[in-house]
Amino acid sequence: MGAPRKPPRPIGAGPLAAELRVAVMRTSRRLRAEAATREISPGQYSVLAAVMDGPKTVGQLAAREQIQAPSMTRIVNALAQAAFVTREENPDDKRQVRVRITDSGSAALLRARSKRTEWLARKVAALTPQERATLHEAALILQEMSA
């Protein structure tokens, strides 16, 4: 893709972990940036992705995103104003509200996911067949590690 790569060398777990952390974080940031639109922010994307599989309370969403509840409330308010989520009474605890994704929220999330996938597919297409095979193996290993 760029300059020729050095041949693989034996590497210890610590240095490899550091290399992976940097690579994964940079890739993650770039994917977030690629999907950022006027429609939804990266934070809103994360919330829509979280409620795609079912409604969540604001507290659950805040814990998942590791932010304070008032910050999550602002994100949810913006999503509700855009009609991407609705609020509903929590049947298990009437004092709580659950956040549910709407059809237009699902569509916005899928559009953002497509943009991310398209960007990544262009990058992968520029790799050699051997690099793609190596990346495929790495992806399988990463999925297994994070399961």
Side-chain angles (χ1 to χ4, degrees):
M1 213 169 117
R5 287 180 178 45
K6 298 176 187 174
R9 67 193 190 296
I11 186 168
L16 178 57
E19 286 180 3
L20 282 170
R21 179 185 49 77
V22 170
V24 168
M25 293 303 295
R26 283 184 181 162
T27 304
S28 177
R29 273 195 297 267
R30 185 63 192 265
L31 284 169
R32 287 175 70 116
E34 288 298 322
T37 65
R38 290 185 183 150
E39 189 173 36
I40 59 173
S41 70
Q44 291 171 335
Y45 176 96
S46 292
V47 171
L48 290 175
V51 296
M52 188 71 169
D53 64 346
K56 308 271 186 303
T57 67
V58 170
Q60 289 170 324
L61 292 168
R64 180 181 187 270
E65 295 300 313
Q66 299 180 332
I67 63 174
Q68 297 297 315
S71 296
M72 181 54 68
T73 297
R74 282 191 292 278
I75 294 170
V76 169
N77 286 345
L79 288 169
Q81 187 174 17
F84 291 155
V85 299
T86 59
R87 294 180 182 91
E88 62 185 34
E89 188 177 85
N90 185 346
D92 300 328
D93 184 344
K94 305 291 186 210
R95 299 168 297 168
Q96 290 183 328
V97 172
R98 294 190 318 180
V99 178
R100 179 182 296 278
I101 196 166
T102 63
D103 289 343
S104 58
S106 294
L109 177 65
L110 294 176
R111 282 189 297 275
R113 281 185 177 167
S114 291
K115 281 186 71 175
R116 289 176 176 200
T117 300
E118 288 167 12
W119 174 82
L120 195 52
R122 285 191 307 273
K123 295 296 184 180
V124 170
L127 299 174
T128 66
Q130 179 59 43
E131 288 170 327
R132 284 196 298 272
T134 300
L135 200 52
H136 173 70
E137 281 296 312
L140 294 175
I141 292 167
L142 286 169
Q143 287 175 11
E144 189 176 302
M145 285 173 52
S146 62

